[in-house]
Amino acid sequence: MPALPSWLTEPLWDQFATLLPVRPVYDPAHPLGCHRRRVSDRIVFDKLLQVLRFGCSYQAIADSTCSATTIRGRRDEWIRLGAFAQLREIVLNAYDRIVGLVLEQIAIDGSITKAAGGGEAAGRSPVDRGKRGMKRSAMTDGYGIPLDRVLAGANCHDSPLLAPTLDLLNDLGPLPDDITVHLDAGHDSAKTRSVLDERGLRGQIAHKGEKAPLQATQRWHVERTHAWQNAFHRLARCYKRRLHVINAFFDLADAVITVRSLIRRAWTTHRWNNRPIRRP
């Protein structure tokens, strides 16, 4: 069962394949000069997409074409190469060239999910009876395209995560002169305003004690992005313990979200050979 439609996986794989080194079909170091054929990278890539989308274990998704050990080993190899982070960066740059990132309006918000396996990004969740959970401080542009995130334990407040999240803007290259950062009432403090002033940013912060509809801003874009990310069950209920593995799955999910938004927004303005028949 495919995890994603072909019009979405094909452009992702075409770009991801260019980031991988060329490997021989057979291991040249084998003493007998022959061995089992190397499992295709495309098969492993599709398996990782299924793990990300359905949240299943490697053992559950393994079959005669690829074992669970191969999936984990190839995943770690690609993480060491930085392939997932490069894919997210390339997709983000492509979206910026074709559609354009709305960097004048930035939204940042935290979201708590389950982290049943514990690990480096887990802590006692204040909304789940003290069970282990993970918080992500996500940053999006004005449309909701995920720019980056900072991961921490669920017991970490949003305010300390704001500064490291804003520092990720430096990786986006040239920025507009006037940037407005939309934040919820959890950031309504003098410390938050000081952090924004130090970076020359303007803050649109909800005030504590006031009803949300009276102060509705563009912060809903990041809330929608949280919902997009939580649709990937591997992120909504994380069993991974190592931070670099969790970030790799987030990079892959963000690449899927960005390509999907790119195809959807370019469907009415651009034509290409494998363009979906209907607007996705």
Side-chain angles (χ1 to χ4, degrees), residues 35-269:
H35 196 54
R36 290 179 300 176
R37 295 175 62 91
R38 186 174 188 270
V39 177
S40 170
D41 288 334
R42 177 59 192 272
I43 294 177
V44 180
F45 183 76
D46 288 339
K47 294 291 185 184
L48 286 175
L49 285 178
Q50 294 177 33
V51 170
L52 174 66
R53 178 63 180 88
F54 302 134
C56 54
S57 65
Y58 297 116
Q59 288 78 9
I61 208 66
D63 53 22
S64 59
T65 63
C66 184
S67 67
T69 302
T70 300
I71 299 174
R72 286 192 293 265
R74 204 73 60 88
R75 176 206 66 191
D76 293 339
E77 175 187 342
W78 293 344
I79 291 176
R80 288 192 297 269
L81 292 173
F84 295 107
Q86 293 179 53
L87 177 65
R88 183 186 64 84
E89 182 179 355
I90 291 172
V91 168
L92 200 61
N93 291 335
Y95 182 94
D96 191 22
R97 291 195 307 270
I98 298 174
V99 178
L101 292 170
V102 187
L103 296 178
E104 294 82 3
Q105 307 292 331
I106 300 294
I108 297 177
D109 191 29
S111 176
I112 296 178
T113 56
K114 295 180 180 294
E120 300 173 354
R124 288 176 57 86
S125 176
V127 297
D128 195 15
R129 298 171 292 173
K131 295 180 181 180
R132 286 172 294 189
M134 179 178 65
K135 171 172 285 190
R136 64 174 179 267
S137 177
M139 177 172 58
T140 69
D141 77 333
Y143 179 75
I145 300 300
L147 302 177
D148 217 328
R149 97 293 307 175
V150 171
L151 303 179
N155 55 346
C156 184
H157 195 269
D158 289 349
S159 183
L161 300 177
L162 178 61
T165 304
L166 289 173
D167 291 340
L168 298 174
L169 285 172
N170 299 327
D171 300 333
L172 298 178
L175 298 173
D177 296 331
D178 188 12
I179 300 178
T180 301
V181 182
H182 299 269
L183 303 167
D184 62 5
H187 296 88
D188 188 14
S189 66
K191 181 179 179 180
T192 295
R193 293 176 175 84
S194 176
V195 169
L196 294 174
D197 292 339
E198 291 173 359
R199 291 162 174 78
L201 303 174
R202 180 186 305 172
Q204 183 70 34
I205 308 173
H207 301 293
K208 296 179 180 178
E210 296 184 12
K211 294 182 179 180
L214 299 178
Q215 48 187 339
T217 63
Q218 298 187 35
R219 199 179 69 250
W220 68 272
H221 291 290
V222 69
E223 300 287 353
R224 181 181 61 178
T225 303
H226 282 315
W228 286 344
Q229 292 174 333
N230 288 337
F232 298 95
H233 295 289
R234 175 61 68 176
L235 306 182
R237 189 177 182 88
C238 182
Y239 288 93
K240 296 303 172 187
R241 300 179 60 85
R242 292 178 292 174
L243 188 60
H244 66 276
V245 176
I246 302 173
N247 272 315
F249 275 112
F250 266 103
D251 288 337
L252 183 56
D254 289 350
V256 172
I257 292 172
T258 305
V259 170
R260 184 175 58 195
S261 298
L262 172 59
I263 293 176
R264 179 175 177 81
R265 301 192 69 182
W267 191 85
T268 56
T269 59

